[in-house]
Amino acid sequence: MNLLGFTRQNFAVVFEQMNVPKWRAGQVWDWIYRKSATSFDEMSNVPAEMRAELQGNHSIAYPAVDRVLTSSDGTEKFLLQLSDGESVEMVLIPERDRCTVCVSSQIGCGVKCSFCHTGTQPFVRNLEAHEIVGQVMVARQRLSDPGALNSKRLITNIVMMGMGEPLHNYENVSSAIKIMMDSDGLAFSRRRITLSTSGVVPFIVRCGTELCVNLAVSLHAPNDEIRNKIMPINNMYNVRELINACRQYPNTNEARRITFEYVMLRDVNDSEQQAIELAALIRDIPAKVNLIPWNPWPGAPFKTSSNSQIDRFAQALARTGVTVITRTPRGQDILAACGQLKSSSLSK
Ligand code: SF4
């Protein structure tokens, strides 16, 4: 059993079953998350007998780094090998005042948005909680990040925006996020964690209630007609249901807004009229809109909107009072930008 995926509550149960005092579980937890120990031998304040028992039945295994590609803008894409031989991608995005880890939740993705490279890869399986937390641990190891031990932590933000639909793997994602947020674990504030969904309506409010992390919604269209064409999930949960779920997302206010992601596809969803329609759709939700110039990938049937069209779209939104940000693509040259991730794993 890989201890990395146990929430603190379940971690305590493992130690209870070993008949050791609860505070010993706290010591091991501390070694794993605060001191980044990857072997029980390092745990100098844990009795040798207990370390041997742990060694016999448990591990603290991070995904293995198979390859790292570095973009000209400093973005790094990691191909990670999992214990069953499957692989998944994780991206590290350094910026001037912060560093974001973009974490995957599944191998492949069953949602199949037509503009997304990941969607062309067959869905293989959900990631286990330890494989999700393990991606953050690999990023920390890469940067020699001291984590929450002192104020010099290097990774500042975690976004669940890599491969897969996190709300299709809710239980594992939820456990992983609880470990990320645990004040004695990775100690990330819920305000520093963003979960992005394509619109799995039944889980949206639950996610907000139980995890209360920032919500990003891949909306990408202002109406069902366009969204049905580019995001098949819209045939299951339509725009009206999705926007209703967003209205009910707990703790949303002007200081804590929902992000609507909107990929700019030339002649598909990028007219000024569509911007006005989008503004009307979200007008009663504390929200901001991120415009994402579409990032190309081999064989894709789309073109990205021109810069001038993106500007016109942004201005049309801004005129209605919507906060709008046009994102600068990161890691495009190594296929690490939004919607470009794809590992070589195949469905069996
Ligand atoms: S955009 Fe997200 S949900 Fe859609 S296919 Fe890509 S990874 Fe899956």
Side-chain angles (χ1 to χ4, degrees):
M1 281 196 294
N2 191 337
L3 288 183
L4 216 50
F6 286 85
T7 60
R8 197 123 65 103
Q9 215 178 2
N10 293 339
F11 199 84
V13 173
V14 171
F15 284 79
E16 250 171 55
Q17 286 164 353
M18 286 168 57
N19 262 334
V20 293
K22 213 171 168 185
W23 59 273
R24 285 284 184 208
Q27 278 183 322
V28 175
W29 178 272
D30 191 69
W31 274 103
I32 295 175
Y33 295 109
R34 297 231 162 196
K35 303 188 184 109
S36 304
T38 52
S39 83
F40 297 107
D41 290 343
E42 295 170 58
M43 302 180 181
S44 50
N45 57 356
V46 174
E49 207 176 274
M50 189 177 142
R51 276 188 271 151
E53 191 178 347
L54 283 168
Q55 191 76 49
N57 299 309
H58 303 88
S59 65
I60 316 161
Y62 300 178
V65 178
D66 187 15
R67 232 176 317 149
V68 182
L69 296 177
T70 304
S71 160
S72 55
D73 66 18
T75 299
E76 290 186 316
K77 180 167 83 166
F78 293 70
L79 183 69
L80 302 175
Q81 191 93 49
L82 307 172
S83 55
D84 62 355
E86 297 292 353
S87 55
V88 74
E89 295 189 334
M90 175 271 283
V91 181
L92 198 48
I93 311 156
E95 290 169 83
R96 197 156 40 95
D97 55 349
R98 60 184 176 168
C99 183
T100 301
V101 196
C102 179
V103 173
S104 294
S105 57
Q106 297 181 311
I107 304 171
C109 182
V111 177
K112 311 256 164 268
C113 305
S114 58
F115 50 83
C116 172
H117 202 199
T118 312
T120 66
Q121 177 182 345
F123 169 72
V124 179
R125 68 169 172 86
N126 286 330
L127 293 183
E128 301 286 334
H130 69 85
E131 293 167 332
I132 300 170
V133 174
Q135 294 172 60
V136 180
M137 301 307 278
V138 167
R140 248 174 51 160
Q141 196 173 47
R142 173 77 170 181
L143 297 172
S144 305
D145 186 344
L149 268 184
N150 63 35
S151 60
K152 293 207 176 96
R153 79 181 314 160
L154 300 173
I155 296 169
T156 56
N157 296 70
I158 298 173
V159 293
M160 300 287 317
M161 292 185 182
M163 300 169 65
E165 164 52 66
L167 297 186
H168 278 166
N169 184 17
Y170 185 77
E171 298 304 333
N172 287 318
V173 165
S174 162
S175 296
I177 288 181
K178 284 178 185 158
I179 295 165
M180 293 169 194
M181 292 194 303
D182 190 300
S183 54
D184 292 323
L186 292 178
F188 281 88
S189 146
R190 57 189 78 238
R191 289 172 182 274
R192 298 279 182 178
I193 300 175
T194 301
L195 182 143
S196 174
T197 179
S198 58
V200 186
V201 166
F203 281 92
I204 288 180
V205 174
R206 182 173 168 195
C207 168
T209 309
E210 293 179 1
L211 305 173
C212 205
V213 291
N214 299 325
L215 180 70
V217 174
S218 293
L219 187 57
H220 306 312
N223 57 46
D224 286 329
E225 194 190 342
I226 302 172
R227 202 164 190 267
N228 282 341
K229 284 188 193 143
I230 59 175
M231 298 184 74
I233 195 169
N234 199 68
N235 293 297
M236 196 174 285
Y237 311 112
N238 64 24
V239 168
R240 185 179 51 80
E241 292 169 296
L242 175 56
I243 295 298
N244 272 341
C246 293
R247 277 193 197 103
Q248 291 163 35
Y249 196 75
N251 300 310
T252 302
N253 51 47
E254 280 310 314
R256 193 137 190 277
R257 292 185 271 183
I258 291 176
T259 302
F260 287 102
E261 309 280 358
Y262 198 97
V263 65
M264 297 299 292
L265 302 167
R266 187 183 297 185
D267 299 332
V268 175
N269 63 357
D270 64 347
S271 73
E272 285 170 80
Q273 190 51 42
Q274 286 157 342
I276 292 164
E277 203 181 343
L278 171 63
L281 185 68
I282 61 172
R283 69 175 174 271
D284 60 346
I285 299 176
K288 60 181 182 238
V289 174
N290 272 358
L291 300 183
I292 307 166
W294 177 72
N295 296 303
W297 39 270
F302 294 103
K303 290 199 170 110
T304 192
S305 308
S306 66
N307 288 342
S308 56
Q309 190 56 34
I310 294 174
D311 280 350
R312 279 194 288 275
F313 193 95
Q315 282 163 21
L317 276 179
R319 277 196 295 276
T320 68
V322 171
T323 304
V324 54
I325 297 157
T326 302
R327 288 241 299 262
T328 308
R330 296 291 307 265
Q332 233 185 16
D333 53 339
I334 52 165
L335 289 182
C338 200
Q340 289 185 315
L341 300 186
K342 182 179 178 180
S343 66
S344 55
S345 297
L346 291 174
S347 164
K348 291 186 180 116

